Amino acid sequence: MSAPPGTVTAPAAATTAGAVRLAHRRPLRIGRVSLLLRPRGLAVTVTGLALLLLLTALHLRLGDIPMSLSEVVAAVLGGGTGGARLVIMELRLPRALTGALVGAALGVSGAITQAIARNPLAGPDILGVTSGASLAVVAATVAGGAAYGGAGGVLAAIGIPAAALAGGLAGALLVYGLAWRRGLDGYRLVLVGVGVVAVFTNLKYWLLTVGDVNDATRAMVWISGSLNARGMEHVVPTALALAMVLPATLLGTRTLAVLRLGDDTVRGLGVRIDLARGSLLLCAVLLASAATAAAGPIAFVALAAPQIALRLAGVAQPPLVVSAVAGAVLVTGADLAARTLTPVELPVGIVTAVLGAPYLIYLLVRTRRARGAI
Amino acid sequence: MRLQAVDVKLGYGDRLIVDGLDLGIETGTVTTIIGPNGCGKSTLLRALGRLLKPLSGHVLLDGRHIHRMPSREVAKILGVLPQAPAAPEGLTVADLVARGRHPHQAWYRQWSAGDEAAVEDALRMTGLLDLAERPLDELSGGQRQRAWISMALAQGTDLLLLDEPTTFLDLAHQIDVLQLVSRLRDEAGRTVVMVLHDLNLAARHSDRLIAMRDGRVVAAGTPHEVMTEPVLDEVFDLEAKVIPDPVTATPLVVPIAIRPRPTETSTPR
């Protein structure tokens, strides 16, 4: 059934230059396997990792006892003086690793949330994770105040992250349950999320008001998001969470790309939309909960990292791997600043909040101009 | 007939929109559903495209219950273009059209030679090759609509369901889109079902028409069979004269006036 020549001329398809036009997609094809490589995304990732390495090295060198690079290298490789090994391996390295891992988890979590909510202003905060975790930690600290003071480090080291994890998951479950109405609507999710966050936040302040002053102060440090005194007991769970959830998330990359289209379009492309959205959101919640359990709620990283990543990578939606690297660099850089730039060490969450506020305003203004990101 | 509806009841929640409807789509034809706003055209199209599960009855695709088939398998046979689809900010034409290949891809098969060829063909057929790297937000309404159709084409399905593909387009762009639909049938042997509002364009560009009102089929058949003065009266309450189109000899509707119905209580929506 071919038409006679000449009757059919597509307006602009005069040439056969199609292959050239699609040239920025460079697949690696081996037999039936084909992988899409994005040179720019790859370059950004490599540059970001180099920057991360640099910041980590600075992290290990700077502090109350400055170290030379050779001392740092020696200590990391298992040599050096006992004192240097203690400072680097027991204090600075776990802190730096926790920061990088938490940043990576927050970056990926934010990328997923923004893609699913179809909104650059969405983040795991909107899913109730951070506020749920904060509320749980404040509740645990205030309720168990005297006990913590007496029981000391062990209970605090395990109890606080456990409370954070449970609170984060419960918060997300509540938001998801309330937003679900024969399916999930991104707009509805954001609205319900904002409401739940407001309730949690106010409950948290109420608890801080009624609680003991010492407990409240201790809880305040945690809910600002701090990497102070983080050890391997923080590194390992966060690393495990990333190792388990990240591969699953990466498998969902293509689906995530499609989920940004309208619901009917997504269904028409053969995606089981509720299943896909639910499982990807679960990944986002797990990552954010793990990150919050390890470091408290570090503001703005999950919001900013994906947006920075997509601009650097030059793509239309937050790329997962680049978002992870951007998040890691952000947290590591902010913690370095928190440790070294001010006379008194600040919680890292304060630095990211100070950096993040202007960025959030910029995003709001830009979104208003671009018309309807929601 | 590859696509059929058998005694389907359709609705949202408690609201029943289509109450028991039978329908068959002739393979290799362009079928257009017409009817007043709220008559259930889009609802029916959504059910045919597996976007809406019937309350009862079933939709058959190649003789199988469409809602019991794996989503991905359906998406390789049947493509759907929803009404006024929304595109994320910053997406280029090529990005969008490439999304159409989703049902054919997997994590280890991200961009096969087949994908590339299908996207290129789809872009060429819709005349968008030169605009492939342009962001969608920079295109005109007509170009954007062509990009969406191009995505549905890249999906490589034998059947295509288009919900009001000409809405928001000026007349020239409407004709452009409908000529493309005719070419899809003639050159690629596709079966197209669409919803249109313009009766004369529907009559001219369709092999079969289905006229609906209040969730039921009033008339179905060739444009000559359906586009008659009594049917127009019954479907739209429209007093009209139907004359042969001087160019194509298909029925041409000349509206005269809306006839108030004595028995009418309220316009169902």
Side-chain angles (χ1 to χ4, degrees), chain A residues 133 136-137 140-141 148 151-167 222 229-234 237 289-290 292-295:
Chain A
V137 166
T141 316
Y148 274 130
V154 179
L155 184 57
I158 294 171
I160 294 291
L165 193 63
W222 190 89
R230 291 309 187 260
M232 285 322 254
E233 72 274 17
H234 297 99
S289 300
T292 310

Side-chain angles (χ1 to χ4, degrees), chain B residues 79-155:
Chain B
V80 192
L81 182 63
Q83 198 174 333
E89 216 183 310
L91 208 65
T92 64
V93 173
D95 282 339
L96 179 73
V97 177
R99 300 275 197 277
R101 297 304 294 168
H102 188 269
H104 304 272
Q105 296 172 328
W107 68 267
Y108 57 86
R109 203 170 53 239
Q110 298 175 347
W111 191 240
S112 68
D115 293 337
E116 197 169 322
V119 168
E120 215 180 298
D121 281 352
L123 285 170
R124 183 174 297 118
M125 193 132 195
T126 46
L128 289 172
L129 265 183
D130 290 323
L131 301 176
E133 294 307 324
R134 289 270 288 279
L136 277 175
D137 0 326
E138 287 179 12
L139 302 188
S140 73
Q143 290 169 332
R144 205 173 308 153
Q145 189 61 23
R146 284 217 305 266
W148 281 99
I149 295 176
S150 189
M151 185 194 88
L153 285 185
Q155 203 173 328

Side-chain angles (χ1 to χ4, degrees), chain A residues 22-41:
Chain A
L22 297 170
H24 74 294
R25 292 172 171 267
R26 290 206 196 100
L28 179 70
R29 293 196 185 119
I30 305 160
R32 287 173 53 81
V33 174
S34 61
L35 300 176
L36 256 190
L37 303 177
R38 300 186 187 277
R40 187 164 157 189

